[in-house]
Amino acid sequence: MKVVVVGAGYSGTLAANRLAKKLPEAQITVVNPRSDFVERVRLHQQLAGTGRAATPLTEMLREGIQSRLASVHKIGDGIVTLETGNSLEFDNLFLAVGSTTRPLAGTIAIGTWEGAEQARAALGRLPAGSTVTVIGAGLTGIETASEIAGARADLRVRLVGQSLAPTFGEGAQRRVRAGLERLNVSVQLDTVEEVRPDEAGPGASTVRLGSGEEFSSDLTLWAVLGAVPELAARSGLRVDASGRAVVDEHLRSVTDSRVFAIGDCAAIPGSRQACQTAGPQGAYAADTLAALVKGSKLKPYSQGYTGTALSIGRKDAVIQLTHQDDSPTRFFLTNRLAVLGKELGARTAKHCARTANIAWRSGPK
């Protein structure tokens, strides 16, 4: 049996490794545009120079799994067409291309490896006293702004967004703001109406807010995530309004049951984009394919949440505890305990992807 895994993030890597354990006779090929496994939850560290986010795939994939350094142009009837024009045949496929960003001109998108590396280079060229603006006040924006402020106290860092940590409860939001203030991060809750590129260099721009205020920014970073690659739509798979592949209760495409869609690119009710989501989906999809091969009864996918961890520089963090449906409770963790919890969560996500050993909470009934 030939299995192709498109994408080597948390869900794709875990799915490939788990399937190799479950079905050792399967010929598994992982197709990825880069030779590294990238920890999305550490891209803010990569950008600020406080940590590393990349590990060679040779250290992440089990022996016997083939890897192909390429981008996929289209998925057809049992055929994967690469951007190079070459093709691969498959009996089953795991679509795990993750998410991407669609930044405004004049900004550098930081939700991808390439964007984080571009931003890191631009940040390194900034002299003391320069202004860095991070657009997007969700988790990615907060972590990026605070990481830069902690690593470069000589810079002025501004965070702009409609609401601060919108998935957190009010108490946790207040604590996040206090943590940002301690790092001298200026928070402006407003919409961004326009970004006009300047000639000073990549990311330099003039930003106009919904309130009418304008300011110059020596480096403007785009931290609004949520977009997905167009591969599913381009391949003729049914997608939702956001471009995510629509799946059944077993995470199989409703267009082609040979294709499993997992991670950020899958339209799974109740799921959010996170490694906490990607890992269980990769494991479940691998288990389901193994069950299909062995003729075992299938169980519908179910996942619940426990919390959301947010770092505020290297020495502070907030963990918002949640109900199974991911809605926030009134409880949250802070300070040293939250810092340790955040780091443990990041390490665990990578460990699970490498070993394919994972457990998760069932979803609400």
Side-chain angles (χ1 to χ4, degrees):
M1 182 176 68
K2 297 179 180 179
V3 179
V4 175
V5 180
V6 183
Y10 292 102
S11 58
T13 300
L14 196 152
N17 286 330
R18 194 166 177 108
L19 190 64
K21 292 169 62 175
K22 296 273 184 175
L23 295 176
E25 70 277 11
Q27 299 177 34
I28 304 171
T29 302
V30 175
V31 182
N32 199 56
R34 62 188 66 84
S35 59
D36 293 317
F37 169 85
V38 175
E39 296 178 77
R40 288 283 294 271
V41 296
R42 293 196 191 276
L43 281 179
H44 59 289
Q45 294 176 251
Q46 181 77 25
L47 185 160
T50 58
R52 297 181 61 185
T55 301
L57 277 176
T58 52
E59 298 179 16
M60 294 295 295
L61 296 175
R62 290 175 64 88
E63 185 177 351
I65 297 176
Q66 301 296 314
S67 61
R68 188 77 173 262
L69 185 62
S71 295
V72 174
H73 171 66
K74 193 174 183 180
I75 299 167
D77 185 14
I79 299 291
V80 174
T81 303
L82 306 179
E83 293 285 0
T84 60
N86 296 326
S87 61
L88 298 171
E89 296 181 354
F90 69 84
D91 297 302
N92 288 96
L93 181 141
F94 293 86
L95 181 63
V97 291
S99 56
T100 186
T101 61
R102 295 193 174 92
L104 293 178
T107 69
I108 297 176
I110 56 176
T112 65
W113 169 261
E114 292 77 13
E117 282 292 271
Q118 184 183 2
R120 182 172 67 88
L123 185 67
R125 294 190 292 265
L126 291 182
S130 298
T131 297
V132 177
T133 302
V134 180
I135 299 175
L139 305 188
T140 299
I142 293 168
E143 291 193 326
T144 300
S146 59
E147 201 74 25
I148 292 173
R152 292 285 306 270
D154 60 324
L155 300 176
R156 295 191 294 269
V157 182
R158 176 190 283 111
L159 179 66
V160 180
Q162 289 182 272
S163 59
L164 185 69
T167 61
F168 280 22
E170 292 183 4
Q173 288 176 339
R174 288 193 294 269
R175 178 59 179 78
V176 169
R177 181 181 280 273
L180 290 169
E181 290 175 351
R182 279 195 290 272
L183 289 171
N184 296 316
V185 175
S186 171
V187 178
Q188 289 184 258
L189 299 184
D190 204 340
T191 58
V192 174
E193 294 297 311
E194 183 185 17
V195 178
R196 299 194 300 274
D198 292 344
E199 297 180 356
S205 63
T206 298
V207 181
R208 180 166 62 87
L209 303 181
S211 61
E213 178 186 355
E214 284 195 2
F215 54 83
S216 294
S217 175
D218 298 297
L219 178 59
T220 308
L221 305 178
W222 184 262
V224 181
L225 307 183
V228 297
E230 298 177 350
L231 178 57
R234 188 167 62 239
S235 299
L237 300 178
R238 182 180 169 188
V239 298
D240 67 3
S242 300
R244 295 176 176 83
V246 178
V247 297
D248 63 16
E249 62 181 354
H250 304 299
L251 306 192
R252 296 178 296 185
S253 166
V254 296
T255 307
D256 187 343
S257 62
R258 294 170 297 181
V259 175
F260 290 82
I262 51 179
D264 291 354
C265 67
I268 300 172
S271 293
R272 63 174 161 90
Q273 296 180 328
C275 61
Q276 186 180 167
T277 302
Q281 290 178 5
Y284 171 86
D287 290 351
T288 299
L289 179 54
L292 285 168
V293 171
K294 297 174 182 178
S296 303
K297 185 178 180 180
L298 303 183
K299 296 181 179 179
Y301 178 72
S302 176
Q303 184 202 353
Y305 292 91
T306 56
T308 303
L310 169 69
S311 65
I312 309 175
R314 291 295 84 210
K315 298 180 180 180
D316 195 9
V318 176
I319 298 178
Q320 172 67 66
L321 303 181
T322 65
H323 299 288
Q324 283 176 290
D325 65 357
D326 206 31
S327 60
T329 70
R330 61 188 181 91
F331 301 105
F332 57 93
L333 306 176
T334 62
N335 300 323
R336 182 66 176 169
L337 182 60
V339 172
L340 291 174
K342 165 69 175 180
E343 179 61 24
L344 178 60
R347 293 188 182 190
T348 298
K350 180 181 178 181
H351 176 77
C352 290
R354 176 189 284 134
T355 63
N357 296 323
I358 189 173
W360 62 93
R361 187 182 189 185
S362 62
K365 297 181 180 179

